[in-house]
């Protein structure tokens, strides 16, 4: 796919080091510089992300001829740069970072620029674009009358994603969607201070901007997800994302707008494209953000409605220790939610697998499964939902390679996985008999020994991998599991892959009571 990016470029520089001393004559840290990393910023960062994803990229911008511009051209190697001469020094933004903490930012050449020059070659590149991402960084390029006219005309035929800036002009009328963040949206919509800085303020701003700019508005809300105001006939909708602990949110908005353009060009509806782009932006932060740019490709949008296999395999990187279990397609009951919470407490993420086989009911059945998937994803304890025909569960699990596969202890449910299959990748098969329907005679809730945990058949199953709950008592209340899930959710999903099963595990003494062990696990 060839994607055309329009906007202002600048050079971002990260100076990283350590700081364990203070200056003798002032209370400021002394930074021992270890690395200096340069990358394209502004619209250049959007182009860099798309290049890293494997797309062909045209970037329409203005460039200087100084050393910083030379660095920019090197960072954008592989892109087709269509640029006019700026006639001014390249804007450079340098961040000074000690460990993971930014200390200061120094800006050079970031003052008000003269009016931008637009060439015929730049206009021709817009006219032939397959999809457009306008990354306005407030330096005047997207204010140019002829360029705006060209974008507006091309937007009648192809998707146009417009990422606005407080100092820039409004999107063209043919824009498919505008993507301000919460601060930009509330400022542009002149939202009163008393409305707040949450989803209510975003909804107020999105509705106002949708009417004023005459295009759909997707407001990025950070960890709250994305709010979409698409139609005047329907209220704004929020698309939540998995919680991510990130020390550097730089580039999240660019990652969202670039992924949104790709999804729209791939045929996604606007709500589906927004949801896909929001997940990809969260994944980008979980993998390390701009510091890890180029080391991973974003998952591609799949128009089939099923999670793409690439997204499934990257769940391991995104969430750490994966727990997977099958979910019945018939009903969603409080007992199911209890089991999901219990399973989620066994690791860092929960992936639910639902039967993706089409039935004779056709569209009605598809709508029901779609609704079930959305309901499951709305649960705090569920990180991913994957559709697969029952016959393909084994193949999917070989690809996902979960650390733990959870099965029902009720013999009436039947087993879905041979323990030897999970053992092939170091995974474990775990039985969690929660709720009255899943009580099995003979299940031991007694003491745990170093030999393992009693299973429903009276034998022993291996001790869980590090980080798993060491006991499983069906008497725990839903609120207790909710607290456990919340505690685990707060942990960083961007941590490095967990160590091999068994490494560092703490064995519970054989004479320790269940109550004592539960107290420690909390």
């Amino acid at each position: 796919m060839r994607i055309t990016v329009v906007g202002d470029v600048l050079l971002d520089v990260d100076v990283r080091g350590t700081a364990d001393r203070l200056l003798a004559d002032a209370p400021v840290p002394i930074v021992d510089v270890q690395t200096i990393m340069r990358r394209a910023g502004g619209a250049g960062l959007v182009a860099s992300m798309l290049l890293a994803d494997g797309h062909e990229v045209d970037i329409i911008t203005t460039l200087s001829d100084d050393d910083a511009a030379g660095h920019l051209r090197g960072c954008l190697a592989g892109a087709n740069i269509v640029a006019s001469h700026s006639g001014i020094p390249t804007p450079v933004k340098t961040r000074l970072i000690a460990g993971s903490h930014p200390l200061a930012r120094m800006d050079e050449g970031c003052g008000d620029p003269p009016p931008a020059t637009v060439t015929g070659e730049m206009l021709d590149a817009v006219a032939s674009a397959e999809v457009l991402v306008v990354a306005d960084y407030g330096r005047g390029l997207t204010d140019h009358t002829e360029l705006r006219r060209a974008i507006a005309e091309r937007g009648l035929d192809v998707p146009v994603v417009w990422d606005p800036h407080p100092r820039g002009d409004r999107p063209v009328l043919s824009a498919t969607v505008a993507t301000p963040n919460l601060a930009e949206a509330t400022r542009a919509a002149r939202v009163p201070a008393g409305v707040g800085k949450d989803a209510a303020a975003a909804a107020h701003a999105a509705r106002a901007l949708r009417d004023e700019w005459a295009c759909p508005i997707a407001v990025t809300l950070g960890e709250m997800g994305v709010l979409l105001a698409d139609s005047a006939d329907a209220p704004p909708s929020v698309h939540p994302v998995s919680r991510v602990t990130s020390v550097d949110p730089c580039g999240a908005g660019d990652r969202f707008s670039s992924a949104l353009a790709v999804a729209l060009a791939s045929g996604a509806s606007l709500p589906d494209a927004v949801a896909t782009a929001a997940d990809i932006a969260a994944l980008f932060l979980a993998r390390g953000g701009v510091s890890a740019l180029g080391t991973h490709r974003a998952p591609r949008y799949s128009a089939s409605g099923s999670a793409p296999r690439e997204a499934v395999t990257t769940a391991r990187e995104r969430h750490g220790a994966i727990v997977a279990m099958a979910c019945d397609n018939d009903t969603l009951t409080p007992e199911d939610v209890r089991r999901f919470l219990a399973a989620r407490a066994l690791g860092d993420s929960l992936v639910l697998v639902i039967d993706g086989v089409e039935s004779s009911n056709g569209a009605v059945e598809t709508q029901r499964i779609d609704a079930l998937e959305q309901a499951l994803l709305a649960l705090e304890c569920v990180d991913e939902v994957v559709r697969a025909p029952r016959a393909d569960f084994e193949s999917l699990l070989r690809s996902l390679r979960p650390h733990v596969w959870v099965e029902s202890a009720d013999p009436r449910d039947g087993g879905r996985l041979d323990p030897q299959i999970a053992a092939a990748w170091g995974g474990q098969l775990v039985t969690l008999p929660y709720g009255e329907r899943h009580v099995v005679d003979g299940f031991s809730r007694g003491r745990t020994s170093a030999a393992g945990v009693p299973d429903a058949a009276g034998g022993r199953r291996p001790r869980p991998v590090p980080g798993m709950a060491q006991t499983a008592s069906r008497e725990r209340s839903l609120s207790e599991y909710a607290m456990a899930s919340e505690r685990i959710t707060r942990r960083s999903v961007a941590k490095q892959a967990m160590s091999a099963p068994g490494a560092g595990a703490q064995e519970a003494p054989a004479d320790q009571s269940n109550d004592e062990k539960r107290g420690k696990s909390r």
Side-chain angles (χ1 to χ4, degrees), residues 37 47 89 165 172 212 278-279 285 296 383 400 505 511 517:
M37 184 178 72
H165 191 277
V172 297
E212 183 177 346
D279 286 340
L285 293 178
H296 303 279
D383 297 279
L400 181 59
D511 59 350
K517 285 180 280 185

Side-chain angles (χ1 to χ4, degrees), residues 203-226:
H204 183 101
R207 285 192 293 263
L209 292 179
R210 180 192 58 203
D211 296 340
E212 183 177 346
W213 291 352
C215 71
I217 307 296
V219 182
T220 54
L221 306 174
E223 64 179 10
M224 291 186 290
V226 180

Side-chain angles (χ1 to χ4, degrees), residues 323-328 335 339-340 342-343 346 350-352 390 393-394 397 402 404-422 425 428-434 437-440 443 455-456 461 468 472:
V323 179
M325 67 184 298
C327 174
D328 293 333
E335 166 60 18
R339 295 177 64 208
F340 299 157
L346 298 180
L350 176 61
V351 178
L352 295 180
R390 188 69 56 86
F393 275 15
E394 181 178 322
L397 289 171
V404 180
W405 172 255
V406 176
E407 289 196 344
S408 169
D410 192 333
R412 293 170 297 179
D413 289 347
R416 290 191 173 96
L417 185 69
D418 184 339
Q420 296 304 316
I421 295 174
W425 62 78
Q428 299 184 31
L429 185 64
V430 175
T431 300
L432 292 178
Y434 292 97
R437 193 173 76 88
H438 298 283
V439 174
V440 178
F443 178 77
D455 64 16
R461 62 174 172 80
M468 292 172 55

Side-chain angles (χ1 to χ4, degrees), residues 46 133-137 161-165 177-181 184 253-254 257:
V46 177
V133 183
V134 179
D136 187 356
Y137 272 77
V161 176
W162 193 290
D163 191 4
H165 191 277
V177 60
T179 61
N181 61 32
E184 292 166 345
D254 297 308
S257 60

